[in-house]
Amino acid sequence: MTDNMNDLKKMCLECKKCRLCETRTNLVFGVGNENADVLFIGEGPGENEDLQGEPFVGRGGKLLDKMLNAVDLDRKKNIYIANMVKCRPPKNRDPLPDEQDACIGWLRNQVKIIRPKIIVCLGRVAATKIIKKDMKITKEHGIFFEKNGVVMMATLHPAALLRDPRKKPDAFEDFQKLRDKIKEICPHTYD
Ligand code: URA
Ligand code: SF4
């Protein structure tokens, strides 16, 4: 464990703890304000993220930015965004359990440095690992849970919204609830 985000990033860039290191172009460490009170956690890099080294920069990322901006959140200013695994799984398959287990220590260290008040899980993979094993995202998105003194919520993954745009209003509603929660427990996010 380190308390310095730059040191942590340097360590990650050399990581070979799982097979995903063999096929990555770039490691996707995370983006945002390391002093943010709100942390978003996705699943893992896709093709565009692997090529650019930043989370959520493809079509799903554009949609995510739109939803963030609708509630005055900005990936470069008042939040932080990371993923369950930092290297792209081939053909965008779900990260395997042993890959998630290998990588989660890095994310834990990021959480320790950021000390978020709210964690938002993007999609089922992050939600089941971070919030609770039997999380049912279709039923339980937008609901706030508390774990280890941190408020947590899951919302639909942007890629799922691209596959089925009829789900978009549900996701926008989750973001409105998130804005209310931020105003309640960490209002200086909006300073
Ligand atoms: N999907 C994710 O879960 N994370 C990314 O960074 C990009 C797409
Ligand atoms: Fe290391 Fe995580 Fe990349 Fe696996 S996915 S090589 S554990 S950084």
Side-chain angles (χ1 to χ4, degrees), residues 11-22 24 27-28 45 84-89 95 98-106:
M11 290 155 70
C12 282
L13 289 171
E14 296 181 357
C15 180
K16 293 184 175 171
K17 287 191 204 193
C18 83
R19 64 183 78 74
L20 298 181
C21 71
E22 295 163 18
R24 74 180 172 224
L27 181 132
V28 178
M84 292 300 307
V85 295
K86 301 199 182 304
C87 306
R88 181 194 182 199
D98 70 313
E99 293 160 356
Q100 293 185 42
D101 290 342
C103 208
I104 192 116
W106 298 127

Side-chain angles (χ1 to χ4, degrees), residues 10-165:
K10 280 189 204 136
M11 290 155 70
C12 282
L13 289 171
E14 296 181 357
C15 180
K16 293 184 175 171
K17 287 191 204 193
C18 83
R19 64 183 78 74
L20 298 181
C21 71
E22 295 163 18
T23 46
R24 74 180 172 224
T25 310
N26 288 294
L27 181 132
V28 178
F29 181 70
V31 68
N33 183 339
E34 64 179 84
N35 297 309
D37 283 327
V38 187
L39 169 64
F40 286 78
I41 302 176
E43 182 175 318
E47 185 180 18
N48 294 292
E49 293 76 22
D50 174 68
L51 291 172
Q52 295 181 45
E54 182 170 329
F56 290 101
V57 290
R59 228 157 59 84
K62 295 282 161 291
L63 177 56
L64 177 61
D65 280 333
K66 202 170 130 185
M67 292 192 294
L68 290 170
N69 294 345
V71 295
D72 302 306
L73 298 175
D74 182 324
R75 68 163 68 204
K76 295 275 161 74
K77 291 187 182 142
N78 53 3
I79 59 170
Y80 196 93
I81 306 177
N83 277 310
M84 292 300 307
V85 295
K86 301 199 182 304
C87 306
R88 181 194 182 199
K91 299 180 186 159
N92 298 348
R93 63 162 170 74
D94 284 359
L96 300 173
D98 70 313
E99 293 160 356
Q100 293 185 42
D101 290 342
C103 208
I104 192 116
W106 298 127
L107 181 62
R108 286 222 172 89
N109 200 335
Q110 282 174 302
V111 171
K112 217 161 176 173
I113 294 168
I114 298 166
R115 289 189 299 116
K117 293 196 163 64
I118 302 177
I119 292 178
V120 180
C121 295
L122 296 165
R124 177 189 51 85
V125 170
T128 53
K129 188 90 181 176
I130 307 278
I131 302 178
K132 55 176 180 143
K133 269 214 298 287
D134 62 347
M135 183 84 181
K136 284 276 167 285
I137 191 104
T138 43
K139 266 191 167 170
E140 296 179 293
H141 70 87
I143 298 175
F144 291 101
F145 297 85
E146 195 173 328
K147 199 174 156 186
N148 310 322
V150 181
V151 170
M152 302 187 183
M153 180 192 94
T155 188
L156 305 163
H157 194 286
L161 303 178
L162 291 175
R163 280 195 299 272
D164 184 0

